[in-house]
Amino acid sequence: MKISKFVWSVLVAFATVALIAPQQVEAIIVDGRVSGQLTLTGSGTITESNGLKSNGLNSTGINELDFNGQLFPHGPLSVTGATGDFIPVVGSQASFNLAIRWTGSGSSVTLLDVLPGVGGPAWNSPIVGANGFATGTFFSLQSVTFDEDSLTMIGMGRTQVVSGDPLVLKHSAARIVIQGTGQDFTYNLTVVTTSLPEGGSGLGLLAIGLVAVEGLRRKITTRQNRYA
């Protein structure tokens, strides 16, 4: 049920903020949806459980996109461009929590490692010199085409920006597109996350999230007072 999934996504968003910055949970402000676009650049390599073929399209195994760098297979990637609410993240680095794994090819693809209401592989980037961070989470893949020299991956998911003092949380549905060129299935990548309009009774569902955060805040405060 779509609304139930959205409710869970809101609750997860607020729970994440509560765990990352418990001393500031009481100061969270919800201010609508994220607007804008964020671009990451870096390097990645595709491997396949049954061995890659030159065209990359007739594979019957599990494909995996790893992000190269000091934190391999998580990256990092560099934030090289942004518009709208993502602008404060420019100059930072982003890491993926998981490699991206999928089965199938073309438009018949299935994203793996997805938890209901939580999502799957996600990038996270801190806002340098300030409170906050931005995230982009895959929930599904629409299409993946790749060969030895090029890659195009189109997915749908959610993006969030948490920033400021007091903290302000914005979130929205998002399209995440990964493109790259290179050789031997290793590519120079761009990862573009674009916020999308979101329908439904968002304000009412966000209110549910606020109730959840207030509950977490009270539990944290009680725990802190107990050990003070």
Side-chain angles (χ1 to χ4, degrees):
M1 182 176 178
K2 291 183 179 179
I3 292 180
S4 297
K5 180 178 287 187
F6 184 79
V7 170
W8 274 111
S9 70
V10 172
L11 295 179
V12 168
F14 281 97
T16 300
V17 175
L19 293 173
I20 292 177
Q23 73 279 9
Q24 297 176 340
V25 170
E26 68 276 10
I28 291 177
I29 298 171
V30 179
D31 188 22
R33 71 177 192 89
V34 176
S35 63
Q37 186 179 83
L38 182 139
T39 301
L40 309 174
T41 58
S43 174
T45 300
I46 289 179
T47 58
E48 203 269 350
S49 58
N50 290 340
L52 284 165
K53 299 180 180 180
S54 60
N55 59 14
L57 296 178
N58 297 322
S59 168
T60 58
I62 296 175
N63 302 294
E64 179 173 318
L65 174 60
D66 297 319
F67 297 95
N68 301 323
Q70 294 178 338
L71 304 178
F72 178 88
H74 309 289
L77 295 84
S78 298
V79 181
T80 54
T83 62
D85 294 314
F86 294 109
I87 289 176
V89 191
V90 173
S92 184
Q93 290 188 319
S95 298
F96 273 81
N97 62 339
L98 298 169
I100 299 176
R101 302 195 310 144
W102 72 95
T103 58
S105 61
S107 59
S108 299
V109 288
T110 300
L111 179 64
L112 304 179
D113 307 316
V114 178
L115 295 177
V118 177
W123 58 260
N124 183 293
S125 179
I127 297 175
V128 178
N131 292 328
F133 58 92
T135 67
T137 304
F138 279 94
F139 273 74
S140 64
L141 290 174
Q142 292 184 314
S143 66
V144 181
T145 56
F146 70 95
D147 56 25
E148 290 178 298
D149 305 320
S150 64
L151 162 69
T152 299
M153 175 182 293
I154 301 173
M156 300 297 294
R158 183 182 70 241
T159 185
Q160 300 173 354
V161 175
V162 179
S163 64
D165 186 9
L167 289 172
V168 175
L169 183 148
K170 297 183 179 183
H171 67 104
S172 79
R175 174 177 292 164
I176 306 174
V177 178
I178 300 179
Q179 293 182 301
T181 58
Q183 58 183 3
D184 299 327
F185 299 102
T186 293
Y187 316 96
N188 294 316
L189 299 175
T190 59
V191 181
V192 179
T193 301
T194 304
S195 65
L196 301 174
E198 202 157 27
S201 53
L203 291 178
L205 295 174
L206 284 172
I208 296 173
L210 284 171
V211 172
V213 168
E214 177 61 19
L216 283 171
R217 184 189 69 79
R218 291 182 180 182
K219 288 182 180 180
I220 292 169
T221 300
T222 301
R223 189 183 300 117
Q224 290 175 337
N225 290 339
R226 183 181 303 166
Y227 295 102

